[in-house]
């Protein structure tokens, strides 16, 4: 049973370009979460999605960042016009349900480097 | 808003010895879950142990156990018989048992195992 798949593993973008990060949840999981981890820091919540719906985007910057989880296909985190401060590891997690005890299963993350 | 605090940025322990990592949290809720995740250098986030707030019995998973003090809002992780493979960042996390809730992480403790 494949785990949460994130790609690419590493992504390099120049300032002003767009970054697209993909996340395929575990089979049977319909809840997806995106987190950002700056160097030597913890994971900061960005957005929580279910199929075709954004449930909680309270951690998303108001500009340049967007996320989607379509009916078919992976969840996408999109960062437009990247800046150096966007350099971080971005983690996706999925869970089978929304109950508090349902553990989140994490992917290996995408390390974004903005040059 | 819920907050999770890990006051030990770094800890070290001799191989085969026991170490305790501290975590405190702030919430006005009574129904929630607490988690410890491990992040080795591979960057993978691995669930170590989970505790339901309504259960008085402390959770145990092999060499890992917790000391859950609900009134004090404390949730420490004890690792017995430390092994070299335990070296990692350890993150404490909180999640309200309400449905559609995100996981909130502490800033982490870096654990070093001394051979």
């Amino acid at each position: 049973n494949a785990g949460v798949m994130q790609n690419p593993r590493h992504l390099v973008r120049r300032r002003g370009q767009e970054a697209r990060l993909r996340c395929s949840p575990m089979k049977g999981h319909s809840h997806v979460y995106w987190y950002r981890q700056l160097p030597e820091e913890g994971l900061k919540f960005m957005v929580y999605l279910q199929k075709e719906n954004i449930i909680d985007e309270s951690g998303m910057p108001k500009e340049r960042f967007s996320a989607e989880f379509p009916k078919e296909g992976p969840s996408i985190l999109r960062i437009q016009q990247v800046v150096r401060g966007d350099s971080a590891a971005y983690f996706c997690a999925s869970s089978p349900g929304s109950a508090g005890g349902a553990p989140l299963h994490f992917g290996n993350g995408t390390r974004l480097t903005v040059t | 808003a819920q907050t999770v605090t890990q006051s030990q940025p770094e800890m070290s322990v001799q191989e085969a010895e026991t170490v305790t990592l501290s975590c405190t949290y702030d919430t006005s809720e009574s129904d929630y879950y607490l988690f410890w995740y491990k992040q080795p250098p591979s960057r993978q986030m691995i669930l170590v142990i989970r505790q339901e707030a309504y259960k008085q019995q402390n959770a145990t998973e092999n060499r890992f156990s917790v000391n859950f003090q609900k009134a004090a809002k404390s949730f420490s992780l004890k690792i017995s018989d430390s092994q070299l493979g335990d070296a990692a960042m350890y993150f404490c996390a909180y999640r309200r048992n309400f449905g559609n809730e995100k996981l909130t992480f502490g800033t982490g403790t870096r654990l070093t195992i001394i051979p």
Side-chain angles (χ1 to χ4, degrees):
Chain A
N1 192 10
V4 178
M5 303 301 293
Q6 287 189 250
N7 65 81
R9 183 105 165 109
H10 301 276
L11 182 62
V12 179
R13 285 288 178 267
R14 290 197 176 94
R15 278 180 295 171
Q17 292 184 319
E18 178 179 289
R20 277 180 175 251
L21 288 63
R22 293 176 184 77
C23 169
S24 295
M26 287 182 70
K27 187 175 182 180
H29 288 194
S30 58
H31 300 251
V32 166
Y33 306 77
W34 285 94
Y35 285 81
R36 175 164 63 177
Q37 185 178 33
L38 295 171
E40 304 302 316
E41 292 189 12
L43 278 73
K44 300 291 187 186
F45 169 77
M46 299 183 74
V47 62
Y48 165 32
L49 310 102
Q50 293 180 27
K51 284 285 187 182
E52 300 183 279
N53 288 306
I54 295 175
I55 305 302
D56 181 354
E57 56 182 348
S58 59
M60 284 276 272
K62 292 289 185 281
E63 298 178 351
R64 301 188 299 107
F65 286 73
S66 62
E68 63 176 10
F69 188 18
K71 186 177 180 181
E72 300 290 338
S75 175
I76 305 289
L77 179 68
R78 182 182 177 204
I79 311 172
Q80 295 178 291
Q81 298 176 313
V82 296
V83 301
R84 289 235 171 96
D86 297 332
S87 295
Y90 291 83
F91 287 89
C92 169
S94 72
S95 70
S98 62
L104 269 61
H105 299 264
F106 283 83
N108 285 336
T110 293
R111 184 174 297 281
L112 172 65
T113 301
V114 179
T115 61
Chain B
Q2 293 81 18
T3 57
V4 179
T5 302
Q6 294 179 250
S7 59
Q8 307 155 314
E10 297 183 355
M11 291 282 285
S12 60
V13 63
Q14 291 281 150
E15 193 175 1
E17 296 294 311
T18 296
V19 64
T20 299
L21 308 184
S22 301
C23 172
T24 59
Y25 56 96
D26 184 26
T27 183
S28 58
E29 304 291 333
S30 61
D31 190 7
Y32 52 86
Y33 282 83
L34 297 162
F35 304 82
W36 278 97
Y37 277 85
K38 167 186 177 181
Q39 186 181 41
S42 67
R43 222 167 61 201
Q44 174 75 44
M45 291 289 288
I46 303 165
L47 177 65
V48 175
I49 201 165
R50 175 179 60 177
Q51 175 78 43
E52 182 178 0
Y54 272 114
K55 288 189 176 178
Q56 292 187 338
Q57 186 173 6
N58 289 323
T60 300
E61 288 287 342
N62 300 315
R63 297 183 296 107
F64 298 86
S65 62
V66 299
N67 184 4
F68 173 48
Q69 302 289 329
K70 191 171 184 179
K73 296 180 183 175
S74 170
F75 182 60
S76 60
L77 175 69
K78 185 172 83 171
I79 306 174
S80 304
D81 185 25
S82 297
Q83 300 176 359
L84 294 177
D86 295 334
M89 284 289 288
Y90 285 82
F91 293 98
C92 179
Y94 164 98
R95 189 182 191 190
R96 191 169 67 145
N97 190 22
F98 191 68
N100 293 341
E101 290 288 318
K102 62 181 180 283
L103 200 59
T104 300
F105 285 91
T107 51
T109 296
R110 182 178 301 282
L111 178 64
T112 300
I113 310 297
I114 303 167

